[in-house]
Amino acid sequence: MPESGHTWQKAFKGAPAEAAHVRLWARGRVQHPDAPLIADELFVAVLGSGATVIDMAISTAGTRIRITAEGPDPLPLIHSHGPGWSILNGLCQRTGLTTDETGLWAQLGGHQ
């Protein structure tokens, strides 16, 4: 039986002030307490690469939540596995680089 879910996408300006909007946007879509922090860490990592626009996505399937941040260009290694990577790995079940290497994703379980 397939799991049903939802997907939300939004483009944010590549500016530090947008991080607060990213956190609010994530909080308004899913009820997991770590989702805003995870969205923020992904956004900041892509922002650090110099992206002028960052595409954010949140997808749900059953109790799983996947958050993605993507920019227009491949991420330098420091931005795809920098200091925020430790936070993501501590909070998420899985993390990774998008197949085109322009973004990062994180998967977490639903809030119990």
Side-chain angles (χ1 to χ4, degrees), residues 1-75:
M1 175 180 226
E3 295 176 302
S4 62
H6 300 284
T7 298
W8 299 271
Q9 296 178 310
K10 184 170 180 167
F12 291 89
K13 292 179 188 175
E18 289 291 292
H21 297 173
V22 168
R23 290 189 302 273
L24 288 171
W25 178 76
R27 185 176 294 121
R29 301 304 171 284
V30 292
Q31 299 303 309
H32 195 286
D34 296 329
L37 175 59
I38 292 165
D40 180 81
E41 287 296 330
L42 295 171
F43 177 83
V44 169
V46 176
L47 177 65
S49 73
T52 57
V53 174
I54 299 168
D55 294 314
M56 298 294 300
I58 298 175
S59 299
T60 63
T63 62
R64 290 187 309 272
I65 301 166
R66 183 173 171 139
I67 303 173
T68 306
E70 291 187 81
D73 300 311
L75 296 175

